Amino acid sequence: MKKKRVLVTGGAGFLGSHLCERLLKLGNYVICTDNLFTGSEDNIRHLFHHPHFEFLCHDVISPLSVECDQIYNLACPASPRWYQKDPVYTMKTSFLGALNVLELARTTGARVLQASTSEVYGDPDCSPQPESYRGCVSAVGPRACYDEGKRAAETLFFDYRRQYGLDIKVIRIFNTYGPRMSMDDGRVVSNFIVQALKGEDITIYGSGAQSRSFCYVDDLVAGMNALMNSPGDFTGPVNIGNPEEISIKELAETVIRLTGSQSRLAFKELPVDDPRQRRPDIALAKRELGWSPVVRLEEGLKLTIDYFKRLINC
């Protein structure tokens, strides 16, 4: 088989770096681009000497010209702490980034995958959330730069398919965790693990009754790759996530138990527009991709805890 040239935007981020690894193991030539706004060279440094890996420091809001067969568009700040830090830039990354990779796909004939998000469902009125659910999203709240940015990107992808016949795929990613999460990204899993390992209070916003479903990064990347290589008439959007639901309070208690920490729970006011529930309906992924997650939450948390232990030397 001819080796594919695969472009991964946002490839130095948490998800992107794991995807680059998997693509290389599958025998592809990988071109990783990232402006390092939230990504880090540390995530991909071990790939620098790989003969089929290339890193380009580039911001996806500017056009890029490279020869490629497939494009994974992962470039965008994904945690509230970072995407709310510069909301205008977040919107520009979502929309202009999508526009630029779609134009590149038009030029090269590449298949292009958009990494969308479960945040397009907003604070849902149903659980679990199927792809047919249109969402309950505030267009003017502090999370809108990300939520609406991703919704606009999905619209652009499907308009490019209708108008230009582009070969597109759209994945909606639910909460994902694992090694290489940043210590300071403000995501709940990394927050809880770091606080527990340092013996600090575990910060819970609201009562902790709100629920999430957490997917280990290896499972997520496998689902993303399965969608990219699925038949061309299946575009998605398709949910990729773990349907096992857990409350935030239960997650905190599990992290405390697994780390052997003496940390206590500290409750603070719930942020504006924070979803009450997040759980994927993955029936479509099972049927069309033959995909479902295999890593259980405690197993994945142990692997993630081990990573953070090495990172903070404890």
Side-chain angles (χ1 to χ4, degrees):
M1 292 179 63
K2 179 178 178 289
K3 188 184 297 292
K4 288 188 176 71
R5 289 176 59 85
V6 184
L7 172 66
V8 180
T9 69
F14 161 51
L15 291 181
S17 62
H18 284 276
L19 176 61
C20 287
E21 272 186 347
R22 182 180 180 89
L23 292 170
L24 288 169
K25 288 177 181 176
L26 292 172
N28 300 287
Y29 187 94
V30 176
I31 306 155
C32 166
T33 70
D34 205 299
N35 70 344
L36 305 178
F37 180 66
T38 58
S40 170
E41 285 192 9
D42 290 341
N43 290 336
I44 54 171
R45 198 176 305 280
H46 61 294
L47 303 177
F48 283 172
H49 298 295
H50 196 292
H52 300 144
F53 180 79
E54 179 182 355
F55 173 63
L56 300 174
C57 189
H58 178 83
D59 193 325
V60 75
I61 68 173
S62 299
L64 177 66
S65 179
V66 296
E67 287 298 321
C68 54
D69 303 299
Q70 294 180 343
I71 305 168
Y72 290 82
N73 184 35
L74 275 64
C76 189
S79 72
R81 177 174 295 174
W82 282 102
Y83 66 63
Q84 291 176 359
K85 184 176 182 179
D86 190 339
V88 173
Y89 178 73
T90 298
M91 282 289 289
K92 289 170 69 176
T93 302
S94 292
F95 184 79
L96 293 178
L99 181 66
N100 287 328
V101 298
L102 287 164
E103 283 297 318
L104 178 60
R106 281 186 72 193
T107 302
T108 60
R111 172 175 286 184
V112 56
L113 180 148
Q114 168 66 10
S116 191
T117 172
S118 62
E119 296 302 316
V120 300
Y121 299 124
D123 188 7
D125 298 319
C126 65
S127 185
Q129 293 86 57
E131 291 85 354
S132 59
Y133 178 59
R134 295 187 178 183
C136 180
V137 180
S138 167
V140 297
R143 301 171 68 101
C145 58
Y146 184 69
D147 302 359
E148 296 287 18
K150 290 290 189 177
R151 287 164 69 96
E154 285 195 16
T155 300
L156 198 59
F157 262 68
F158 281 93
D159 283 340
Y160 262 74
R161 179 174 176 83
R162 284 185 284 265
Q163 190 164 336
Y164 302 115
L166 241 62
D167 189 0
I168 68 161
K169 305 284 182 178
V170 176
I171 181 176
R172 289 176 178 165
I173 298 172
F174 281 68
N175 296 71
T176 307
Y177 70 100
R180 297 192 203 132
M181 296 183 80
S182 174
M183 289 179 61
D184 63 351
D185 67 2
R187 300 188 202 198
V188 65
V189 171
S190 52
N191 271 3
F192 286 0
I193 291 175
V194 171
Q195 289 172 332
L197 290 175
K198 291 183 175 181
E200 301 171 352
D201 287 348
I202 303 291
T203 306
I204 294 179
Y205 295 97
S207 67
Q210 65 270 36
S211 65
R212 298 290 184 271
S213 302
F214 296 97
C215 185
Y216 189 66
V217 63
D218 289 355
D219 284 335
L220 187 285
V221 168
M224 190 180 297
N225 186 247
L227 176 60
M228 175 62 90
N229 294 291
S230 63
D233 59 348
F234 179 66
T235 61
V238 59
N239 294 334
I240 297 292
N242 193 322
E244 291 185 11
E245 194 172 11
I246 186 173
S247 76
I248 296 300
K249 184 173 182 289
E250 289 175 309
L251 176 68
E253 291 167 345
T254 301
V255 168
I256 289 172
R257 174 170 55 82
L258 293 178
T259 56
S261 175
Q262 299 299 311
S263 295
R264 297 181 179 183
L265 305 184
F267 296 87
K268 295 190 176 181
E269 186 176 352
L270 190 68
V272 175
D273 294 335
D274 192 65
R276 294 161 295 172
Q277 281 186 310
R278 184 69 80 234
R279 182 187 173 205
D281 181 333
I282 62 169
L284 184 62
K286 287 181 176 179
R287 184 175 69 249
E288 297 292 338
L289 307 178
W291 177 90
S292 59
V294 296
V295 180
R296 300 300 297 269
L297 180 60
E298 287 209 10
E299 179 187 353
L301 285 175
K302 288 175 183 177
L303 294 169
T304 310
I305 288 166
D306 288 343
Y307 167 77
F308 280 108
K309 281 182 176 179
R310 294 192 298 271
L311 205 62
I312 62 182
N313 298 313
C314 69

